[in-house]
Amino acid sequence: MTTSGITPTPTGLTQGAATKGGIGESTLRPDGVLKVTGEFAYASDLWHEDMLWGYTLRSTVAHATIVSIDTAEALATSGVYAVLTYDDLPTEVRHYGLEIQDTPVLAHGKVRHHGEPVALVAADHPETARRAAAKIRIVYEELPVITDEASATAPGAVLVHEHRDDHHFPHVTHPNILHRQPIVRGDAEAAARRADVIVTGSYVFGMQDQAFLGPESGLAVPAEDGGVDLYVATQWLHADLRQIAPVLGLPESKVRMTLSGVGGAFGGREDLSMQIHGCLLALRTGKPVKIVYNRFESFFGHVHRHPARLWYEHGATKDGKLTHMKCRIVLDGGAYASSSPAVVGNAASLSAGPYVIDDVDIEALALYTNNPPCGAMRGFGAVQACFAYEAQMDKLAARLGLDPVEFRQRNAMEQGTIMPTGQPVDSPAPVAELLRRVKSRPLPPERQWEVAGGASDVRALPGGLSNTTHGEGVVRGVGYAVGIKNVGFSEGFDDYSTARVRMEVVGGEPVVTVHTAMAEVGQGGITVQAQIARSELGVAQVTIQPADTRVGSAGSTSASRQTYMTGGAVKNTCEAVREQVLEIGRRKFGTYHPAWATAELLLEGGKVVTDGGEALAALADVLEGEAVDLELEFRHRPTQAFDLRTGQGNGHVQYSFAAHRAVVEVDTELGLVKVVELACAQDVGKALNPLSVIGQIQGGTTQGLGVAVMEEIVVDPRTAKVRNPSFTDYLIPTILDTPDIPVDVLELADSHAPYGLRGVGEAPTLSSTPAVLAAIRQATGLELNRTPVRPEHLTGS
């Protein structure tokens, strides 16, 4: 017995030490160096001996009847192993979809959008496959195209889907309306009569692309048991599996999926692309088949952000308090449903923004058209609404003669505010504080292009290295915006994630293995999983297994949910592992010291320690030849579907908030914009990895900047054909376009979330766009109700 009263353990340990690399530290990601040095293996780098190359032939028209398909010449091409059309599909299940199974694996009878897959080719060389596909003869009989609300809902309009039977169909007023969600609360008409000022506005939001840099790619390998192994870049392995197996006519156990290196996603990989096509070709030929889209094909291979038309009316009293809001949001869902119904739900339920408005009359809907299909993208329905309601806030502030930030703060929601859906905000909502923080930040110096000696640094000027101006005609503007985004899957969805955690001794040291199906798409999830395991189990050596379908679903890497959901699953499973480890320790060493009988034991620094930090045993001694291996699911608290008539319901699990201040300089003669600074303040609840949090906020901010001033997929309104499917014509911000993005992080814990964390990735994408637009408006005095702002909008030319 020692003088301190601590009984020596078999190894004589006396003091524990915190494990490095746990939560709250800016641990570096393990794949970071590999990615910046070009050594990281992406899905497009997959290789298999004797593999074939797959290619997809796509529709050249947007809406047409398929009169005939002749594949004879393509099949006769030397090096071609298979040519498949709709008639070659192996089962009667020939459609797929995340919610509504309306997307054909290959077009049958008609095509509904430009770029729709029609036929597949497998050949011994990618160029052979492409040339053979060019020999497939398809005769189309073109049909009228539906491209907007007027053409979609006109009397006698051509129907995009003639035989709808989905569960939304009975609730819409026209077959070309995919889904509609009204929200009615209070009495907006009566409240409007109390308003001293009413402003209205119509807004247009362009179609944005996710623009991930790694194109869609994967490798399908036929297996001896008649199944297939698919290695693919995706966002949600189990959702893919659920859609793939029925089309192949295989049980899910015979479709084994493994995540391969993903070069970005942002929602664009939530729907299937090459998955089924690769598997079909592999099973038909009996050989591994690799498919890699080129950049042109990638624009047709995934869904995009919904373009939208929005109409808003707001009222306010003389003292600057909002009285009511009316709005109508029309989203273009394109040819197939994808996740449009959920996007409608988000657009409607978040359409009032982070403000207290008791009386609202809201309608949001999505259309079926012959435009490219639209679905998930960072911000998911809330981005479009934020652009419009923030412009309205500036209008109201101007009419009332108030500072735009002060007006927003007077109406800012806080904890306890009731949403338009009737749901109370039951965690911190620091909207006014976020605005205060970005406003109080010192402004960047003016005329930064001026350098010593009277010369100009053209990189700091609108137009940059094109050297179009030396400062003449350049004016500065400052704008503000704030947004609200939900976290996780909403509206009653059974949202869960699974984690398997194993603790054992290897080489005399305790090690932990974490296995989940979480798709690492660049968000840093594998880094955070390891941090959580180190914090919960006190073990330095943590191995993250590749994500695959041998473990239960982790859900999608979207909706800012993975740190919350899979992080929560890893945390909970680690806690259960810890309890089992402690039970083993109590069994072995419990008689040595009474502290083993308490519930306050921790695992730190590879040891079992008391809450006072005194070590009782080494984990290596506790486990010896035993291993603890558990797989558990984690769910957030349940949500409810919105009422289809009133929109009422506790639909969301958590909200996140971000505010931006944009500083821009505009060349009013040439219509060029330079974003000088885009400061952000965001509440993240708890920063599990502060460096990663900053990266997420800066990335989301940059994506919002892109849609403000440059990004848009241009679709010809007469033919519904995409005009700019390339990075030559679809512009995204480069490092030269990206300004300083100082970030101010708040950590106000959400008591319902693991560690109090709040999903981070999406909120900054909302408010950055309207902040930039507000700054340009302030600089130019123009109304500017459309994104992106183009030079002709600024010059009137």
Side-chain angles (χ1 to χ4, degrees), residues 79 104 148 171 266 401 627:
D148 54 24
H171 306 289
F266 312 113

Side-chain angles (χ1 to χ4, degrees), residues 458 461-472 474 667 669-672:
V458 296
L461 281 162
L465 293 174
S466 58
N467 200 22
T468 53
T469 178
H470 292 270
E472 61 274 18
V474 175
D667 186 327
E669 296 174 354
L670 298 174
L672 301 174

Side-chain angles (χ1 to χ4, degrees), residues 1-16 589 591-596 598 601 608-617:
M1 182 74 68
T2 66
T3 55
S4 66
I6 300 297
T7 300
T9 65
T11 53
L13 298 171
T14 58
Q15 191 66 37
F589 306 122
T591 58
Y592 283 91
H593 193 281
W596 278 103
T598 68
L601 298 182
V608 179
V609 300
T610 67
D611 57 357
E614 293 172 296
L616 298 178

Side-chain angles (χ1 to χ4, degrees), residues 179-519:
H179 177 49
R180 175 179 176 272
Q181 179 63 65
I183 297 178
V184 180
R185 186 169 182 81
D187 187 340
E189 292 295 340
R193 291 191 287 273
R194 299 195 296 271
D196 296 308
V197 174
I198 292 178
V199 300
T200 62
S202 296
Y203 305 90
V204 176
F205 198 100
M207 183 186 295
Q208 188 182 17
D209 187 65
Q210 293 84 355
F212 43 72
L213 298 185
E216 293 86 344
S217 50
L219 175 68
V221 183
E224 292 183 355
D225 66 354
V228 63
D229 293 278
L230 178 62
Y231 305 85
V232 65
T234 182
Q235 283 181 244
W236 190 354
L237 287 165
H238 285 80
D240 288 6
L241 176 63
R242 174 173 53 81
Q243 298 170 85
I244 294 169
V247 175
L248 301 180
L250 293 172
E252 291 186 0
S253 60
K254 286 195 173 182
V255 182
R256 295 161 290 264
M257 298 188 62
T258 301
L259 184 75
S260 297
V262 183
F266 312 113
R269 299 185 200 270
E270 200 161 55
D271 295 80
L272 297 179
S273 58
M274 54 66 61
Q275 287 91 327
I276 295 176
H277 297 164
C279 292
L280 286 169
L281 290 170
L283 292 170
R284 172 61 72 95
T285 62
K287 290 178 173 290
V289 173
K290 177 177 175 176
I291 295 179
V292 180
Y293 291 176
N294 59 30
R295 180 56 56 191
F296 176 88
E297 188 176 12
S298 180
F299 272 93
F300 297 100
H302 61 260
V303 298
H304 313 289
R305 189 190 298 287
H306 291 75
R309 291 183 176 274
L310 310 96
W311 176 86
Y312 268 81
E313 176 185 302
H314 282 89
T317 59
K318 291 178 181 176
D319 60 351
K321 299 292 288 185
L322 288 166
T323 56
H324 73 286
M325 185 200 81
K326 303 176 187 176
C327 81
R328 186 168 191 270
I329 301 173
V330 179
L331 302 156
D332 186 345
Y336 297 108
S338 183
S339 51
S340 286
V343 173
V344 169
N346 272 12
S349 61
L350 302 171
S351 62
Y355 303 111
V356 179
I357 312 178
D358 294 329
D359 300 282
V360 299
D361 187 352
I362 298 164
E363 179 188 30
L365 58 89
L367 300 169
Y368 274 126
T369 70
N370 296 118
N371 291 324
C374 291
M377 188 175 172
R378 198 176 200 166
F380 205 80
V383 164
Q384 297 91 330
C386 186
F387 166 64
Y389 65 66
E390 284 301 88
Q392 289 284 103
M393 294 303 105
D394 285 338
K395 279 188 179 182
L396 277 171
R399 287 284 300 276
L400 292 167
L402 292 173
D403 177 89
V405 169
E406 181 184 347
F407 177 73
R408 287 173 168 86
Q409 289 174 320
R410 290 186 186 187
N411 295 282
M413 69 166 49
E414 55 190 15
Q415 187 166 354
T417 294
I418 304 299
M419 296 286 290
T421 57
Q423 181 172 6
V425 179
D426 60 0
S427 61
V431 178
E433 173 62 13
L434 293 172
L435 286 161
R436 186 194 68 77
R437 290 188 177 222
V438 292
K439 186 179 182 183
S440 62
R441 181 178 288 277
L443 286 166
E446 297 199 39
R447 304 182 70 83
Q448 293 188 57
W449 62 81
E450 292 179 340
V451 297
S456 298
D457 181 352
V458 296
R459 294 173 300 177
L461 281 162
L465 293 174
S466 58
N467 200 22
T468 53
T469 178
H470 292 270
E472 61 274 18
V474 175
V475 294
R476 171 173 281 200
V478 180
Y480 296 89
V482 61
I484 177 173
K485 176 69 181 65
N486 64 315
V487 172
F489 291 161
S490 305
E491 300 187 57
F493 189 88
D494 181 19
D495 193 8
Y496 72 95
S497 184
T498 313
R500 183 176 183 182
V501 176
R502 178 181 177 86
M503 182 183 244
E504 59 191 325
V505 176
V506 177
E509 296 294 330
V511 299
V512 172
T513 303
V514 177
H515 188 191
T516 76
M518 181 208 72

Side-chain angles (χ1 to χ4, degrees), residues 109-163:
K110 64 187 295 188
V111 293
R112 294 182 175 85
H113 70 92
H114 180 206
E116 181 164 349
V118 180
L120 306 172
V121 177
D124 58 4
H125 191 279
E127 185 61 16
T128 303
R130 189 190 66 79
R131 291 186 179 186
K135 296 176 182 177
I136 298 173
R137 307 300 176 202
I138 305 175
V139 177
Y140 294 110
E141 186 174 282
E142 292 199 52
L143 299 168
V145 292
I146 303 298
T147 58
D148 54 24
E149 185 179 14
S151 58
T153 59
V158 173
L159 302 184
V160 178
H161 294 273
E162 305 89 335
H163 307 295

